[in-house]
Amino acid sequence: MSETSPRLRAELEGVPAYKPGRNAESGDGGGPVVYKLSSNENPYPPLPGVMERAVAAAGSFNRYPDYGCDRLLNEIADRFGVPVSHVATGVGSVGLSQQLVMATVTPGDEVLYAWRSFEGYPVVTTVGGGKSVMVPLAPGEVHDLDAMADAITDRTRLIFVCNPNNPTGTVVKKADLVRFLDRVPKDILVVIDEAYVEFVRDPETPNGLELYRDRPNVCVLRTFSKAYGLAGLRVGFAIAHEPVAAALRKTAVPFGVNQLAQDAAVESLRSEDELLGRVGALLGERTRVQDALRGQGWTVPETQANFVWLRLGDRTADFAAACETAGVIVRPYPGEGVRVTIGETEGNDIFLKTAEAFRKEL
Ligand SMILES: Cc1ncc(COP(=O)(O)O)c(C=O)c1O
């Protein structure tokens, strides 16, 4: 037998291997309750109606799902007042990010985004054969849109603007984004990733759906994973003009969005009042957490998402370990800071207590 291994693409060496994080623990096994504040999930369980629809769909999972996601596409188009031909679905919005790279990038083309931002961008760029161009956030942890416009080259094919930005929670303002879009050549696709849009309350923050209408090079990404609470079912959608939406349908994994996800997403859109009422409660907790942290002396960038960002530099790992010992799992970015999801009140309280004690030691 030959010792030679199959030839794999060298770029894959640069893709970080998946490291599983510690899971939440309910306390049922006799151990202490552990709150997971590390993945920006919605802490509420599924709404009963949504759950029933998913359970009903499970009764026929011997069948393939609807290939075209027709009912879901129509429901999204109705809800957001866009033509159905402008909608595409994917296996989460991260799946759509990958489809966007596949639809635009040939080997060596550039994908431009702020950094630090959503960790999926470098992965989908590298896997898709593209080259990442990362533009550092400006002071205040916000996108530096002028520097991003300056970084455009004739190899740029795709730009991600993450608004609100993961992991900092900061937003770009409408006037700044419009000015940026006016500077971007019209043959470069700009993706406004609005995974957390339902948590935005700042009136100066743009709604991507208003910006895409007269801009064929703008694509809006949305997800059912966060405010809608369907993270485990894996479904997201993009809204863009027809050539882009059609390209996203072509690059989708066939049958990728399963029937449970499709049906639960339709039901979620129909239960939106109730679901978004829960978002209101989370926003109350967001204000409480942010104010308490500032009261403790932390610098917390203004967040419009369901998480807060603490820049801790070389104390990041220690802080994350202290949280874990206390019973909350947060998301460390080694050497930079931690992102902490707004979760259940009890989990938020443990986090605040830990942050207060840590602050006193700094
Ligand atoms: C900015 C941003 N975009 C996209 C995603 C992907 O979400 P999903 O694939 O669950 O829709 C995330 C998830 O954390 C995110 O933070």
Side-chain angles (χ1 to χ4, degrees), residues 43-104:
Y44 292 105
L47 285 178
V50 175
M51 180 78 137
E52 268 164 32
R53 286 299 293 268
V55 169
S60 51
F61 66 45
N62 53 313
R63 306 283 178 194
Y64 284 102
D66 171 13
Y67 184 88
C69 295
D70 283 343
R71 250 168 25 93
L72 178 55
L73 291 186
N74 278 293
E75 196 79 22
I76 293 168
D78 272 4
R79 163 66 185 82
F80 295 102
V82 299
V84 73
S85 60
H86 286 199
V87 188
T89 51
V91 179
S93 50
V94 74
L96 283 154
S97 305
Q98 192 158 34
Q99 288 159 248
L100 283 159
V101 171
M102 274 194 278
T104 56

Side-chain angles (χ1 to χ4, degrees), residues 39-40 91-95 97 118 121 162 164-166 193 195-196 221-226 231 234-236 307 339:
S39 299
N40 298 343
V91 179
S93 50
V94 74
S97 305
F118 175 46
Y121 302 150
C162 188
N165 187 45
N166 175 4
D193 183 345
Y196 302 97
L221 269 194
R222 300 273 178 104
T223 181
F224 286 100
S225 295
K226 309 296 179 181
R234 313 302 305 125
V235 53
F307 50 84
R339 187 194 68 198

Side-chain angles (χ1 to χ4, degrees), residues 148-170:
M148 286 177 70
D150 291 342
I152 293 171
T153 72
D154 57 5
R155 293 304 303 265
T156 310
R157 292 291 174 275
L158 185 62
I159 301 174
F160 285 104
V161 176
C162 188
N163 206 36
N165 187 45
N166 175 4
T168 57
T170 50

Side-chain angles (χ1 to χ4, degrees), residues 325-340:
T325 304
V328 288
I329 307 159
V330 300
R331 183 64 207 276
Y333 295 83
E336 292 180 56
V338 294
R339 187 194 68 198
V340 187

